[in-house]
Amino acid sequence: MRRREFITLLGGASAWPLAARAQSAGLLKVGMVAAGSPSRSAPNILAFRQRLSDLGYREGNNLTFEFAHATRKIDILVAPGPEIALQSALAATDSLPIVMVAIDYDPIARGYVKSLPRPGGNITGIFLQQLELTAKRLQVVKDAFPELQAATVFWDELSADQWQAAQSAAPALGLRLFGSELREQPYDYEQALARAPADYRGWMFVMTSAFLFRDRARAAEFALRHRVASVFAFREWVEDGGLLSYGPNILEMFRRAAGYVDQIARGAKPSDLPVEQPTKFEFVLNLKTAKAIGFATPTALLLRADEVIE
C-alpha cells in the first residue's frame, strides 16, 4: 500500500475528538493504521487486543478497535511496522495521540520524536533498532557457524534499509551476501533464490516487513522444501517451520503498545511518555526443521539457543 492510499484511508482524522472526549462517553475508540490487508486475528494484533482486554477494555462495551478509515471517529491511533504507517497517521492528524511500534525505521533520526525520554509532540511508543539488529543477527549466526561464507538475502521495498545494513556489516564478518529483491505479490521465492549464485543458496536470510511477516508461513515452507538454512527476525517464522531467528518478542512489543494506549486513555500526554526499546532478544532454533533439512545441531548451538522448538 502506498502513502496516498494510507492518507485516503485516514481521511478526516484531523477532525476527530481527543481521548478525553471518549472517556467522558465511557467508550475508547482505537484505530490502527496498517499496511496491506491486515487481519484482526494476526498474532501481533491479537496480542495487542488481548492486552487491552487484560487492562479492562472490552470490545463492544467500553472499547472499539478497528483498522482506521475515514468513516469512523478515533481517539487514539496506533501506527505499527513500517514508516509509511506513521507518515500517514501524521498526514491525517496533528493533534490525535499516536502510539507507534517503529520496526523498520529510526523515529529519532527521521525527526518524528525528539528523544527517547522526552518524545515531545503527539507521538510515543516502541522503537526497535532494526538496522542495528540486522547487523547483530548476522554476527550471531556467523559466531554460531564460523564456516558460513555466503548467503542469499531476501528483501522487499519496506526492508531496503535492512538490506543496506546487512551489506555494510557483512565484510567485517567475512560474509558474502547476494541480495534478491521481492517485488510483486505474492512473492516468488523460487525466482528469488534462482537469481542467486549456486554457492549462495545454502543459507537464506529474510529481512522483515509487514508483508514478509504476514507471508512467513510460505517463506518457511519454501526454505524447508529446498533444504535451505533459513534465518529470520522473529520467532513466529521459526514456529511456522523456519530454522533460526534472532530478535525481540514482537508480541510483547504489541502488548507494550496497548499499555501506552491505556496510559493515554487515562490522561497521560504522549509527549510525557518515554519511548521504549526492547531489551531482551531471543535466539530460537527449530530442531524439527534442522533434522528435516539435514542440518547439524552441535551441543554448543543447542546451549546457545534461548529456546529450542522440537
Side-chain angles (χ1 to χ4, degrees), residues 28-48:
L28 178 66
K29 300 173 183 177
V30 177
M32 182 173 286
V33 186
S37 301
S39 169
R40 294 172 63 90
S41 60
N44 52 335
I45 307 302
L46 283 176
F48 175 83

Side-chain angles (χ1 to χ4, degrees), residues 63-124:
L63 170 72
T64 63
F65 168 77
E66 56 196 42
F67 297 104
H69 55 82
T71 62
R72 304 291 186 187
K73 292 184 176 181
I74 303 297
D75 301 311
I76 302 174
L77 278 172
V78 181
E83 183 179 11
I84 190 174
L86 184 56
Q87 288 175 333
S88 301
L90 286 169
T93 180
D94 58 4
S95 59
L96 283 181
I98 299 173
V99 176
M100 66 179 177
V101 184
I103 293 177
D104 305 325
Y105 61 97
D106 183 335
I108 300 174
R110 301 289 174 90
Y112 298 117
V113 297
K114 294 179 179 178
S115 68
L116 297 180
R118 302 286 292 184
N122 61 326
I123 303 170
T124 189

Side-chain angles (χ1 to χ4, degrees), residues 147-160:
E147 71 281 2
L148 173 61
Q149 296 182 352
T152 297
V153 176
F154 286 177
W155 60 280
D156 62 6
E157 182 181 3
L158 293 178
S159 57

Side-chain angles (χ1 to χ4, degrees), residues 21 40 44 162 173 180 199 300:
R21 179 174 171 183
R40 294 172 63 90
N44 52 335
Q162 296 167 48
L173 299 172
S180 194
D199 57 337

Side-chain angles (χ1 to χ4, degrees), residues 161-206:
D161 287 350
Q162 296 167 48
W163 163 231
Q164 292 173 6
Q167 286 180 289
S168 298
L173 299 172
L175 280 174
R176 293 176 286 114
L177 301 179
F178 179 87
S180 194
E181 183 180 3
L182 301 162
R183 296 176 181 171
E184 299 297 325
Q185 296 188 42
Y187 290 150
D188 189 336
Y189 298 112
E190 298 280 353
Q191 185 182 81
L193 188 63
R195 288 197 294 264
D199 57 337
Y200 287 73
R201 298 178 192 172
W203 283 80
M204 181 180 91
F205 285 79
V206 180

